[in-house]
Structures are given as C-alpha cells and as structure tokens.
C-alpha cells in the first residue's frame, strides 16, 4: 500500500475516533470532568468573548471595559485586530458554529501535520488531540487554535520552493504576531527556506518592519490589552515561572513537590538519554516538518520563558511533533530512540493533567483528607512541570543546532 493511501486511511480512522469522542462528550456534558476539562456553558466560551468584543465595538462601547455582550461580562484582552468580527457581521450568538468550525479546522490541520501512517501513529495522534490541555482549547474555542491554523498555513507556504511563498508565509506570521504577540518568534522559520542570505535578510527585515509599523499605529490599544492580558499563576498553568510560584505557595508540601520534580527528571532522562546523540539532528533542515517545528517550537519557547500560560497553549507542541515522528520512523538507532522518547515524554506530560485534576476533584469532596491529598497533587504537579521543562530544554538545544546548520547552508549559497 502506498504511503499516501496509508496516511489517508489512518487519518480517516483518527477523524472517526475523534468525532465519536466529541459526540459522546456533547451528549453527556457531565463527562467532561472525567477527561480533565472544566466545562463551561455556553460551549466555545472564548470564541464568544471575541465575538462579544466585536458586538461591543459595533455598539460604540469601550471593549477594554466589562462587556455586557459577553456571557461572563469579560473585557477584551487582545489587540484591536480581533474586532474585525464586527465588520464581518458576526455576533455573540454565532459562537456555537464559529467555535465548532474552528475546532474542526484545527483537528484537520493536526491530522495533516502528523499524517499518521500506522496504528502507532494514529494512536499517538488521537491521544495528543484528546489530551486534557488540547481538549480544553477545543472546548473553549480558544483563539490559540486560530493562531495554530495561521502557523500551519505559514508552514505550508514556507515549505514550498516557489519564490512568492516566502513573502506570503512571512505575511501570515506577521498577521499571527499582530493578533497574539508570541508568533513573532516563529519568523525564525524563514531560515528553513532554500534561499540566499540577502533575500532572507530582506524578507525578515520587511516582516519585522511591517509588524513594528502595525503595532505602533495602534499602540494605545495594544498597551491596554497587555495590561489586561491574563497571567495565570495556578498549578494548571505552564511556564518557567510556575516553578517558583508552586514552591512559594506550598510551604507544607515542598518535600513532595521536590519528589515530583525528581521523578519527572528521572523519567525524562530515562526516556531521552539513549537518544541524546541525535538531539542536534532532531529537526530536519527543511520541509514541512522543519518549518512547523521551528514555528511552533520558537513560539513555545517564547511563551514558556516570558509568561505563565493556560494549559491549552500546549497546542504549539503539536507543530513540533511531526519532526519527532520523522525521527522515530527513520534514521539511525539514536534518532529513533530520541523521537520515540520525546513523543512519550510529551504524551505523559500532557496526560499528567488528568490525575492532577482528579486529585483536586477528590479534594473537594473529602476536605478532611486535604493534607494527604494535596501532597499527592504536588507529586503529580512536580512530575508534569519537570517533564515539560526537560522537553523545553531539548527543544531549545535542537533549535539552536538547527539554526546553526541552516545559517551555514544559507551562507554557502
């Protein structure tokens, strides 16, 4: 059977499983809690917030104040470009189909990127999409899914060799950066194009100039949005700063947190150590997997180091996974071990959200056991945090090695 036919067959199988899972959850809304998602009504609450901001803008209200059109009265916390929904004629009541469409397009994009070609790849794909952080983003209809789509579109453009696709891909990344600042780091993916250094410099310079001009022209709105931007500091958040926050707020369970960190570090080392020789080769030089890994990886690094992030920001890892799957399917033994190990560690980290959620739900119903339950919560949190930190460190090393290889290749042309 041809590779294209295998990808098609397993992609359809994944889609069928995912559709079935979402239908079950839609029919039994109380089951969301079993998969680690705090379900909100209406569905796609974050999509509703964006559309409500458009309603407020159309009505002449200050969108950065509490919004009467939003189901929860939330102010707009993003830049002014999201308010285009008002010009498109969309209203808050459209959130159900806009959010559903966003979720469908996101799943299609993930299936295109991961392109499962066997049972193992299909299982990994389904487990990634159904993991609690990713599922939360879909349930909320969060705009990180839209940014993911823009990064996937930029990937498709930049991976092509036609001269026009370079500037077009850069323009898509600039649009993503204007909507949510962090995709600006994804411009590093331009290095994946086979081009001369002068052309690369011109494209990158033009993109940065365009972003700066657009941002500066509406800087007042952007500064107001930045002042309101959420900065989660709970154990449900991801980011390097969460280590310090968790440590400072758990004086009675710090030993258990340390134990979780130690277990997470040991687990990551066990999964990745034998493939360490392939870290510098973890991202291919060019192609779809390379562009996606750099766009998603650089965006994740920026978010992880610069701010605390809601868990659905983990969708960015799905752009990196295709490069790891390519490692696991081919290359030498070290590359295969590293690719499988990275996928295993990511899956474990994302699904650690579930026992954390379950322990906290148990805590609500058994307050008399709060001390002992909280200790186990800290163990799980420690494992999760250290697994993500280890993945981020490996990602940073592989991106640095990739950038050096690409720069040498471009300088030689």
């Amino acid at each position: 059977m041809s590779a294209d036919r295998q990808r098609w067959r397993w992609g359809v199988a994944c889609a069928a499983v995912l559709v079935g899972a979402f239908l079950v959850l839609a029919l039994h809304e109380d089951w969301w809690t079993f998969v680690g998602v705090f379900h909100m009504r209406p569905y796609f609450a974050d999509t509703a917030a964006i559309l409500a901001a458009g309603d407020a803008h159309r009505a002449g209200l200050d969108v950065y104040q509490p919004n009467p059109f939003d189901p929860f009265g939330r102010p707009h916390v993003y830049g002014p470009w999201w308010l285009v929904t008002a010009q498109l004629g969309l209203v808050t009541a459209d959130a159900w189909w806009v959010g559903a469409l966003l979720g469908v397009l996101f799943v299609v994009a993930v299936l295109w990127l991961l392109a499962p070609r066997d049972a193992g790849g299909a299982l990994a794909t389904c487990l990634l999409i159904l993991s609690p952080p990713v599922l939360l983003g879909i349930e909320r209809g969060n705009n990180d899914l839209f940014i993911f789509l823009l990064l996937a579109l930029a990937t498709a453009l930049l991976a092509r060799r036609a001269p026009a696709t370079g500037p077009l891909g850069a323009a898509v990344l600039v649009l993503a950066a204007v909507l949510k600042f962090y995709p600006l780091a994804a411009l590093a993916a331009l290095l994946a194009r086979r081009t001369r250094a002068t052309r690369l410099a011109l494209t990158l310079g033009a993109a940065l100039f365009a972003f700066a001009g657009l941002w500066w022209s509406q800087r007042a709105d952007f500064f107001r949005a930045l002042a309101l931007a959420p900065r989660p500091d709970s154990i449900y958040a991801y980011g390097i700063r969460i280590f310090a926050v968790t440590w400072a707020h758990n004086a009675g369970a710090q030993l258990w947190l340390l134990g979780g960190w130690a277990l997470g570090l040991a687990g990551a080392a066990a999964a990745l150590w034998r493939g360490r020789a392939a870290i510098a080769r973890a991202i291919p030089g060019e192609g779809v997997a390379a562009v996606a890994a750099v766009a998603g990886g650089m965006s994740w690094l920026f978010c992880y180091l610069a701010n605390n992030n809601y868990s659905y920001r983990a969708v960015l890892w799905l752009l990196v996974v295709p490069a790891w799957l390519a490692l696991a399917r081919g290359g030498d033994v070290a590359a295969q071990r590293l690719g499988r190990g990275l996928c295993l560690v990511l899956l474990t980290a994302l699904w650690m959200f579930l026992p954390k959620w379950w322990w906290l739900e148990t805590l609500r119903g058994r307050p008399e056991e709060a001390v002992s339950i909280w200790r186990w919560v800290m163990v799980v949190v420690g494992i999760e945090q250290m697994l993500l930190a280890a993945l981020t460190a490996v990602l940073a090393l592989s991106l640095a090695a990739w950038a050096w290889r690409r720069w040498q290749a471009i300088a030689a042309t």
Side-chain angles (χ1 to χ4, degrees):
M1 185 180 297
S2 68
D4 287 340
R5 186 175 178 83
Q6 283 183 317
R7 285 193 290 269
W8 181 86
R9 184 181 71 171
W10 287 110
V12 170
C14 287
V17 170
L18 296 169
V19 168
F22 292 135
L23 284 176
V24 168
L25 290 170
L27 293 172
H28 303 276
E29 293 188 5
D30 55 324
W31 288 13
W32 282 101
T33 189
F34 298 137
V35 292
V37 174
F38 177 73
H39 174 53
M40 295 178 65
R41 296 197 63 138
Y43 271 99
F44 313 121
D46 290 351
T47 300
I50 296 294
L51 299 182
D55 279 340
H57 180 66
R58 187 187 299 112
L61 302 180
D62 183 353
V63 298
Y64 297 105
Q65 295 294 326
N67 186 354
F69 292 95
D70 181 74
F72 306 99
R74 294 166 294 181
H76 188 54
V77 296
Y78 303 107
W81 280 48
W82 291 100
L83 303 178
V84 70
T85 57
Q87 282 69 49
L88 294 175
L90 297 172
V91 297
T92 308
D94 293 319
W96 69 271
W97 70 264
V98 175
L101 179 62
L102 179 62
V104 169
L105 293 176
F106 168 75
V107 170
V108 170
V110 174
L111 292 177
W112 169 69
L113 283 166
L114 271 59
R117 60 184 66 181
D118 54 33
L123 177 62
T125 299
C126 289
L127 288 175
L128 285 168
I129 295 175
L130 294 175
S131 64
V134 177
L135 208 55
L136 176 65
I138 296 173
E139 189 272 344
R140 293 287 194 273
N142 187 263
N143 55 7
D144 274 344
L145 302 190
F146 186 70
I147 298 301
F148 182 97
L149 292 175
L150 291 179
L151 294 179
L153 175 59
T155 293
L157 290 168
L158 294 177
R160 297 178 64 86
R161 295 184 178 179
T165 57
L168 286 174
V172 173
L173 292 177
V174 169
L175 171 61
V178 171
L179 291 172
K180 295 194 81 169
F181 187 78
Y182 67 80
L184 187 66
L187 285 171
L190 289 171
L191 281 171
R193 288 184 62 78
R194 186 177 297 180
T195 184
R196 294 182 180 274
T198 51
R199 182 183 292 272
L200 173 64
L202 286 172
T203 304
L204 181 59
L208 291 173
F209 182 80
F211 169 79
L214 292 170
W215 199 92
W216 184 257
S217 66
Q218 295 180 302
R219 60 190 181 279
D221 286 331
F222 282 117
F223 279 125
R224 294 188 71 189
L226 285 173
L228 294 170
R231 294 173 178 83
D233 59 358
S234 74
I235 58 175
Y236 290 116
Y238 295 154
I240 192 66
R241 300 180 184 179
I242 296 299
F243 277 84
V245 172
T246 310
W247 179 264
H249 289 81
N250 292 282
Q254 288 176 340
L255 186 61
W256 295 79
L257 181 61
L258 280 174
W261 286 344
L263 287 173
L265 183 60
L272 305 177
W273 185 254
R274 292 194 300 168
R276 65 190 184 281
I279 289 177
R281 304 177 272 121
I283 299 176
E286 54 188 45
V288 170
V291 178
V294 176
M298 288 296 296
S299 297
W300 170 264
L301 280 178
F302 180 90
C303 294
Y304 187 81
L305 298 175
N307 197 10
N308 302 338
N309 308 274
Y310 286 111
S311 59
Y312 42 66
R313 189 62 51 81
V315 298
L316 294 172
W317 281 110
L318 302 187
L319 290 158
V320 184
V321 170
W324 295 350
L325 291 176
L327 273 182
R329 285 194 293 258
D332 55 34
V333 174
Q336 292 176 7
R337 287 173 174 170
L338 181 65
R340 293 167 185 163
L342 288 167
C343 290
L344 177 62
V345 172
L346 178 61
L347 279 169
T348 305
L350 295 182
W351 279 94
M352 288 304 293
F353 197 96
L354 193 57
K356 176 175 63 177
W357 169 267
W358 282 350
W359 276 117
L360 288 171
E361 287 297 299
T362 302
L363 180 61
R364 295 169 192 252
R366 291 153 61 181
E368 70 279 1
E369 301 178 36
V371 174
S372 60
I373 292 175
W374 187 253
R375 288 171 177 171
W376 287 112
V377 171
M378 286 299 99
V379 172
V380 173
V381 168
I383 294 172
E384 176 190 53
Q385 289 179 351
M386 192 56 72
L387 289 178
L388 284 173
L391 283 174
T392 304
V394 171
L395 175 64
L397 291 173
S398 59
L399 284 170
W402 173 86
W404 176 247
R405 296 198 318 269
R406 291 304 301 161
W407 181 249
Q408 288 182 314
I410 291 172
T413 58

